[in-house]
Amino acid sequence: MTSLETHFDETIEHDRRIEPRDWMPDAYRKTMIRQIAQHAHSEIIGMQPEGTWITRAPSLRRKAILLAKVQDEAGHGMYLYSAAETLGADRADLTDKLIHGRQKYSSIFNYPALSYADVGVIGWLVDGAAICNQVPLCRSSYGPYARAMIRICKEESFHQRQGYELLMTMMRGTQAQRAMVQEATNRFWWPSLMMFGPPDDQSPNTEQSMAWGIKRHTNDELRQRFVDMSVPQAEKLGVTLPDAELRWNDERGRHDFGAVDWDEFMSVVKGNGPCNAQRVAHRKSAQDEGAWVREAAAAHAAKSRFAPRMVAGSGLSGTNPGANKRGRTA
Amino acid sequence: MTDFSAEGGHGAVPMNGVPTAPDPEVVRSDWPLFEVFLRGKRGLNHVHVGSLHAADPQMALYHARDLYTRRNEGVSIWVVAARDITASSPDEKDPFFAPSGDKVYRHPTFYEIPDDVPHM
């Protein structure tokens, strides 16, 4: 074992953070890029299901909240791409891999948001499940990822609370509104449980990820935690969770719950979910339609202040030709 | 067999068979990278918060405002082109930092002063 490797292992062992310019095993670097990049993609694609409701929000208050929430998702994606780039990944390349289906995003976003109650349920259950995943990640051994997660977790709490408040409001409304909340809960409950990934005995990489300090709890532990958190929230809200086997187990001190349909999960991952094609096509069209803007801005920058070192004798003092020209015409 | 990590953050994502190496052709067309530093409030230093891409420094400032100060997190922003930063290795065992390692006498606790000496 080389001294670099020993130092890496000791850093992990002492629960210290690995920082960008540290030596790290190639497999650690690749695993972190996969994890962070695909987390970023999930945030970016995650804008779409709820984003469709912005123009149809029931009030200005709800519209402002939803707009802020969707903007946060974009922000989370950006924090994460920033972290991925510290590992040698490149943002434009990651987007390219996303729109060509070579990297994935969380399957939960392949389900549509069919009513405004879905906006609430996504906040409550989907973001709630994300929080379960993300809080332990604030202690990820990779420094930039851990720091991005701290920022994200603070904002994610707003997402969950606005969702739950929206649902409480609907539950105080008409019978039809209460039915919408129940129906949205029925549709999102099982996909939310799938967010934690297949059972532990089918997750061969878990052990290595735990040893590296980039996974702090197993899939099943996190899923159980989420179920235990959600049950009293559902009761308080007045909705039932669509699982006949869901009940408190006194012996275990936890809830028992029914089996997740992993065939559905695999099918959605493989591209057969309700919205897979639409999600990627939408992201691709945004990228394609923005191409001329990116090119124009780059061309403008090349002609003006940001290219000073290519022009001898100019700098940030405003003596370069581009800056002078702008000054005269202003 | 494909392994799914729950800790893909916002839900399980596949960890096997996912490429990570950048395509140089795509990388070349990207806007340059800027590092972002934020002063949280008056009286504090600017602190590094992350990075972003922009065509020029002015655009980087606007993007930094939108990205890193959505909740009044800052009163001042610096952006620096990442290519202009010269960095030491963060490895704490780096010989670069060795010169300060053995100079304990630079710290006030090195000196023993009797307890009954006031105001020291």
Side-chain angles (χ1 to χ4, degrees), chain A residues 17-308:
Chain A
R17 299 291 172 261
I18 304 297
E19 294 295 345
R21 286 157 54 87
D22 284 334
W23 182 90
M24 60 189 88
D26 201 39
Y28 177 90
R29 184 184 298 276
K30 284 184 176 155
T31 300
M32 285 319 300
I33 292 176
R34 285 184 193 112
Q35 188 175 334
I36 301 172
Q38 296 186 114
H39 186 174
H41 298 333
S42 303
E43 301 281 359
I44 295 300
I45 296 291
M47 290 191 280
Q48 292 185 36
E50 295 169 277
T52 54
W53 284 100
I54 292 173
T55 54
R56 291 173 285 167
S59 69
L60 187 56
R61 179 175 183 272
R62 293 292 168 198
K63 184 172 183 164
I65 292 169
L66 185 54
L67 204 53
K69 195 205 156 184
V70 172
Q71 194 184 15
D72 272 355
E73 308 292 2
H76 296 177
M78 296 299 128
Y79 303 155
L80 291 162
Y81 284 132
S82 169
E85 284 188 295
T86 65
L87 290 155
D90 174 86
R91 201 171 306 208
D93 176 74
L94 295 177
T95 296
D96 194 65
K97 286 186 166 55
L98 168 65
I99 61 184
H100 290 102
R102 301 179 68 209
Q103 292 182 344
K104 304 291 184 189
Y105 53 89
S106 171
S107 273
I108 192 77
F109 301 117
N110 289 318
Y111 293 88
L114 298 178
S115 80
Y116 211 79
D118 288 35
V119 172
V121 168
I122 289 171
W124 171 38
L125 293 179
V126 175
D127 293 327
I131 291 171
C132 270
N133 273 337
Q134 289 172 344
V135 168
L137 288 178
C138 295
R139 294 186 295 119
S140 168
S141 65
Y142 189 58
Y145 190 39
R147 293 191 285 276
M149 290 317 307
I150 290 170
R151 195 172 266 274
I152 288 173
C153 282
K154 280 185 196 159
E155 301 180 352
E156 205 77 59
S157 172
F158 142 60
H159 297 181
Q160 195 188 23
R161 291 172 68 102
Q162 66 80 34
Y164 196 79
E165 187 231 43
L166 188 163
L167 296 176
M168 287 197 308
T169 307
M170 287 186 81
M171 292 303 282
R172 286 194 301 269
T174 63
Q175 186 52 44
Q177 285 177 308
R178 279 190 288 277
M180 280 166 74
V181 174
Q182 183 61 59
E183 198 254 343
T185 304
N186 292 348
R187 279 185 288 107
F188 274 97
W189 175 249
W190 289 106
S192 298
L193 293 190
M194 293 174 198
M195 285 175 69
F196 298 95
D200 295 347
D201 56 11
Q202 292 166 41
S203 302
N205 290 342
T206 293
E207 199 181 337
Q208 175 65 78
S209 293
M210 304 264 276
W212 275 336
I214 59 177
K215 190 170 174 65
R216 298 291 186 173
H217 307 281
T218 71
N219 296 359
D220 286 331
E221 280 168 21
L222 290 164
R223 188 168 15 249
Q224 179 73 59
R225 187 178 297 181
F226 175 69
V227 170
D228 291 335
M229 280 166 46
S230 300
V231 168
Q233 292 169 350
E235 275 169 21
K236 195 82 188 155
L237 196 58
V239 295
T240 50
L241 297 173
D243 179 358
E245 294 171 50
L246 182 64
R247 61 179 58 85
W248 177 253
N249 182 327
D250 231 355
E251 215 169 287
R252 288 201 309 132
R254 327 245 12 202
H255 291 88
D256 290 339
F257 54 98
V260 176
D261 181 359
W262 293 112
D263 292 341
E264 177 185 328
F265 176 77
M266 289 310 300
S267 164
V268 175
V269 170
K270 290 194 177 117
N272 304 316
C275 303
N276 294 56
Q278 179 189 333
R279 298 289 185 241
V280 174
H282 188 72
R283 180 66 192 90
K284 185 174 185 311
S285 78
Q287 184 73 358
D288 292 347
E289 285 164 23
W292 72 271
V293 179
R294 293 193 298 278
E295 285 162 22
H300 176 73
K303 277 201 283 185
S304 57
R305 275 162 48 107
F306 194 48

Side-chain angles (χ1 to χ4, degrees), chain B residues 13-66:
Chain B
V13 287
M15 294 304 282
N16 293 345
V18 175
T20 57
D23 173 354
E25 204 55 40
V26 178
V27 175
R28 249 198 304 282
S29 65
D30 203 2
W31 285 340
L33 186 69
F34 288 84
E35 298 294 337
V36 181
F37 300 80
L38 212 58
R39 186 198 295 288
K41 59 180 180 186
R42 290 177 178 281
L44 297 180
N45 289 318
H46 285 77
V47 174
H48 181 246
V49 289
S51 65
L52 48 76
H53 287 260
D56 60 44
Q58 194 59 42
M59 184 194 277
L61 265 188
Y62 286 125
H63 284 178
R65 177 201 58 190
D66 293 344

